[in-house]
Amino acid sequence: MQARKKYVLLGLCACCWLLLFYWGGGVQLRVLRLLTRHRAEVVRFWPNWTDRAFLPRYAHLEELQTDPGTAESPRQRRQAWSAIYKDSRCRMETCFDFSRCRRRGREGFRVYIYPSEKNDRVSESYRKILTSIAESRYYTTDPREACLFVLGIDTLDRDQLSGQFVQNVDDRIRGYPLWNDGRNHLIFNLYSGTWPNYTEDLGFNIGQAMLAKASLNTEHFRPGFDISIPLFSKDHPQKGGERGWLVRNTIPPRRKYLLMFKGKRYLTGIGSDTRNALHHIHNGKDIVSLTTCKHGKDWEKHKDARCDHDNLEYERFDYQELLHNSTFCLVPRGRRLGSFRFLESLQAACVPVLLSNGWELPFSDVIQWNQAVLEGDERLLLQVPSTVRAVGNERILALRQRTQMLWEAYFSSVDKIVLTTLEIIKDRVFSHVSRNKYMWNSLPGGLFVLPEYSTHLAHFPFYYLGLGVNPGQEFTAVINAVSPLVSQSQPIMKLLQVVSKSKYCSQIIILWNSEKPPPSRSKWPPMPVPLTVTDGRRKTTSRFLPHVAIETEAVLSLDEDTVLLTSEVNFAFLVWRSFPERIVGYPPRSHFWDPVKRVWGYTSKWTNDYSIVLTGAAFYHRYYHFLFSHYLPQSLRTLVDRTANCEDILMNFLVSAVTHLPPIKVAQRKQYKELPIPQGTKSVPWANPEHFNQRQECVNSFASWFGFMPLVHSQFRLDPVLFKDQVSVLRKKYKDLEKA
C-alpha cells in the first residue's frame, strides 16, 4: 500500500513538472522571442560586408516585391544541381590527371583545342576565347602533348531561347575519343539556364570537366576546381583594352554623386525583387538609382503603376556621365548573379557595391576582392546609403586605385581573362611552383610574374620598393659581338677596358654572334674581372636569353661599337639602383602616331621627348631576360630573328607594358668621334634605309600583339650633380663627362 502511494505521488509530480515546462517554458520562450524581435527592430547594425559568414539571415519583405511562383528552395536547387552535375564533388586531386601535365616538367602545361566541325556556329565571344588560347604560349596542335583540353563547340550561351544555343552537345562530346568523361577538360560558359528560373543547367553533362563560368553560385562552385569568370559583352576587346579612367591620384576622391545605378527593372521572375526595390534609395541628388521597364517585347503587358514615372526619370541622366562622376556604383544581380556593370564599374574607378547574394566573384581563388569592392546583402538595401557615406576618403581612394590595378591586369580584354584562367589552373597543377596572393594582388599582376623564374618576392624588381629591398651593388656586362676579331684597335677592345675598370662590374660576357668562330682567350686583353665568351647561335634575340652565367641582378647590355667612359657607366648604374624596374641608358628614340597614315611612327631625332632607350647601352634587371624569352610569343621572337632588327624596341615594349612607366635617360657626351670601320666588317646596319623601315614596321607589329601602345613618353633626364654648372671641374664627381 505504501509503495502504491509512492508511485502515485511520483506520477503526479511528473505530470506537474511537464505542465509547468509546457506552459511556463513556452511563455518564457515566446516572451524571449518578442524581446529579441523588438531589440532587433530598435538597434540594427550594418554587417561587415567582407565577411559573408556574419551576414544576418533575415529579410525585410515589405521592401521587396517577390514572385513566389518562381522561388525555389535550397533543397530543390541542390537536387537540380546534383541531377545535372553528377561529379559535383570534383577536386583537382580526384578529377584531374596530373600525369598528363608533368611528363615534360614545367613545359608540360599545354592546351589543345578541339577542331571545329563544318557546320558549327561559333559566337564572336567564343571565337575570341579560342583565339586567345591559340595565340598563347601554352597552345599545342598535338593532343598527345596536351595537359588541358578545350571544346571547339560553343558552350558560352546555354539559354535554350537564345540563337547561340547549340543542340545535342551531350551526344557530340560522348563521341570524342579524348573526352574521358570530361577529365582534364575546361568548359567556358557565360549564360546558363533559361526563362523563368535561369538555373545552373547547361543542357549537357559536364562530367569531370572544370567550369570557367560567369555568375557562379557559391552553392555550386567547386573550390580549387572551377573558376569564376566575369560576364563580358560581345564587344569586349580581344587584346589590350582601354585603360582605366583613374589617371592619377585624384583629390578629393569623392565625386559629384555618392552612389548610382541605371539599368533594367524586371517586372516578373528572378532578379525582379532586388531591382524593384532600388527606387527606395533614389533621391535625385547625391544618390541616383534609375530603372526602366522598357525591355523585352511585351513589357507593357506587365507594367505597373511606377513604370511611366520611372521611365521618364531614367531618361534624364546619361549613363556614361554618371559612371564618370560617381564614387560608388551599385551592381545588383540581373536575371543571373553576374552583371555587365561589374566590369564597367571597375574600369570607371567607381567602387562596385555588390548586391548579388551567393555570387562567387571572378577569380576568387587569387583576387582579394575586399580591397576593391563592397559586398552587401540584397535584403538590406535600405542600409546601403548610410554605409557608403561612412566610408572615409582614404579608404575610397585605396578602393578606387585597386579597381584600376585589377581592371588593367585581368579584365580589360578577353585575352587577359582567358590567360588568367589558364595561369590559375597552371598554378594548381604545379602548386610547388606557383604565385602567392601578394603576386596576384599587387602591380604588375600575376600575368607578368612567372613563378618558374622564382617564387620569392625579393627576386622581382617591381617588388623592391614595397619590400624595402635594395638592389645588388654589382652588374654583369653583356656585349653583343657580331664582327670578327681582326685587330686589337677595334671598338670592342676599348669597350672592354672601359667597362672592366668600373668598380661595380662583376663580370663580362661576350655574346659571340659572328659567323666566324670566336678567337681564343689569349686574343682578348687581360682584365680585372672574369671574361666569358658564349655562343649567341647567330640569333638576334639570343642577347636576351636568360643566360645562367648572369649572376647579378643588374645587366648592362652593350653593342660592340658602343663608346662610353667608365664614369658614364658608373653613373648610369647608380641611377638604375634607384629605378631597378626600368630600363636606364643612353641612346633615346621615340614613337608617335601618324594621323594621316593611321599607323605608329618611329623616329631617331634628338629631342627633349623620348619613349625608348636603346639596349645598345642600357641597364635593366635580369628578370626581363626571362620574361622576354618565356612570356613573349615565338612569333615576335621569330620576327626579330628574321629581320636581325628591333630586339631593343621589343624589350622596351615589354618593360613598359609591365611597369606602365617610361625608361630613364641619363647624361652622356653628345659628341662622339666617328671611328673607322674595321677591315672585313660589313657596313653598319643603321646606314641602310631598309633598317629604319623595318623598325617602323616592328613598332606597329608589336603594338598589334600587345593590343595597345605600352610605350610612355617622357622628358625626364638624370644628370650628375654640377654636370653643366659653371664651376671648377675639380668640384665635379664625374669630371670626364664634359670632355670630348
Side-chain angles (χ1 to χ4, degrees), residues 495-606:
L495 183 61
L496 286 171
Q497 295 294 338
V498 167
V499 174
S500 64
K501 288 180 181 177
S502 171
K503 60 182 178 180
Y504 305 113
C505 183
S506 171
Q507 60 175 329
I508 298 176
I509 298 174
I510 296 178
L511 196 61
W512 191 257
N513 270 305
S514 174
E515 296 177 356
K516 294 185 178 181
S520 61
R521 181 64 182 86
S522 61
K523 298 291 184 180
W524 300 103
M527 285 177 294
V529 296
L531 174 67
T532 304
V533 181
T534 184
D535 181 18
R537 292 177 286 182
R538 301 177 187 173
K539 289 185 178 180
T540 307
T541 54
S542 63
R543 71 185 302 168
F544 297 137
L545 286 174
H547 302 285
V548 293
I550 300 176
E551 298 177 351
T552 60
E553 296 166 312
V555 175
L556 172 59
S557 176
L558 296 165
D559 287 338
E560 61 180 7
D561 55 353
T562 301
V563 179
L564 288 173
L565 300 173
T566 303
S567 56
E568 287 179 301
V569 172
N570 289 342
F571 176 67
F573 177 65
L574 294 179
V575 171
W576 176 86
R577 292 192 73 232
S578 296
F579 304 93
E581 76 281 13
R582 303 207 219 177
I583 296 177
V584 175
Y586 296 99
R589 298 292 185 266
S590 188
H591 76 287
F592 62 92
W593 176 251
D594 188 332
V596 177
K597 297 180 180 179
R598 299 193 62 79
V599 296
W600 291 105
Y602 171 84
T603 178
S604 58
K605 292 181 179 179
W606 283 60

Side-chain angles (χ1 to χ4, degrees), residues 1-165:
M1 190 66 182
Q2 293 297 330
R4 182 181 297 176
K5 288 181 180 180
K6 186 186 296 184
Y7 288 126
V8 170
L9 184 60
L10 286 174
L12 289 173
C13 290
C15 290
C16 292
W17 183 83
L18 288 173
L19 288 172
L20 285 172
F21 176 82
Y22 177 78
W23 293 105
V27 169
Q28 290 176 13
L29 287 172
R30 283 194 291 272
V31 171
L32 183 60
R33 288 195 191 104
L34 288 172
L35 289 173
T36 306
R37 185 182 306 167
H38 176 71
R39 191 174 300 153
E41 290 174 355
V42 174
V43 182
R44 250 192 251 158
F45 294 101
W46 183 253
N48 183 356
W49 281 356
T50 61
D51 191 348
R52 298 179 183 177
F54 292 96
L55 289 176
R57 300 298 179 186
Y58 59 87
H60 299 283
L61 298 179
E62 65 274 12
E63 301 296 340
L64 305 175
Q65 297 178 15
T66 59
D67 186 352
T70 60
E72 283 186 305
S73 69
R75 183 176 182 180
Q76 288 173 321
R77 289 197 298 270
R78 285 193 297 271
Q79 289 174 346
W81 174 262
S82 61
I84 298 164
Y85 304 117
K86 298 179 181 177
D87 297 283
S88 57
R89 296 185 179 180
C90 267
R91 298 294 182 268
M92 293 294 288
E93 308 81 46
T94 58
C95 296
F96 194 88
D97 183 4
F98 289 88
S99 64
R100 291 198 66 97
C101 309
R102 293 172 177 169
R103 294 171 185 170
R104 299 166 57 203
R106 296 175 186 171
E107 299 299 320
F109 190 78
R110 292 287 181 265
V111 185
Y112 174 78
I113 301 174
Y114 283 76
S116 58
E117 298 181 16
K118 185 177 181 181
N119 297 321
D120 275 349
R121 294 176 301 169
V122 178
S123 65
E124 182 63 25
S125 295
Y126 199 59
R127 186 176 288 108
K128 289 177 180 178
I129 289 175
L130 297 183
T131 300
S132 297
I133 297 173
E135 293 181 355
S136 75
R137 61 187 180 277
Y138 300 129
Y139 177 65
T140 180
T141 57
D142 186 353
R144 294 171 297 182
E145 295 181 348
C147 162
L148 197 64
F149 298 86
V150 175
L151 297 176
I153 303 171
D154 189 344
T155 56
L156 287 188
D157 194 340
R158 301 306 298 164
D159 185 342
Q160 296 182 20
L161 300 179
S162 170
Q164 303 290 340
F165 183 79

Side-chain angles (χ1 to χ4, degrees), residues 430-451:
F430 301 101
S431 56
H432 61 293
V433 185
S434 60
R435 305 160 185 83
N436 58 38
K437 284 287 184 70
Y438 186 89
M439 294 173 174
W440 283 106
N441 290 277
S442 59
L443 290 171
L447 297 185
F448 284 119
V449 180
L450 303 188

Side-chain angles (χ1 to χ4, degrees), residues 325-392:
N325 293 283
S326 297
T327 306
F328 295 95
C329 285
L330 270 180
V331 183
R333 60 162 296 148
R335 291 299 194 190
R336 300 170 180 86
L337 293 175
S339 168
F340 292 133
R341 281 162 183 78
F342 181 66
L343 291 188
E344 292 169 352
S345 301
L346 285 181
Q347 181 184 7
C350 184
V351 180
V353 180
L354 308 182
L355 294 176
S356 187
N357 292 11
W359 182 23
E360 188 69 32
L361 295 183
F363 306 136
S364 54
D365 286 22
V366 296
I367 293 180
Q368 295 172 323
W369 281 111
N370 61 342
Q371 299 177 358
V373 306
L374 299 180
E375 288 189 69
D377 191 314
E378 296 175 75
R379 300 161 297 182
L380 300 174
L381 172 65
L382 298 184
Q383 297 187 19
V384 170
S386 58
T387 302
V388 295
R389 290 186 197 280
V391 181

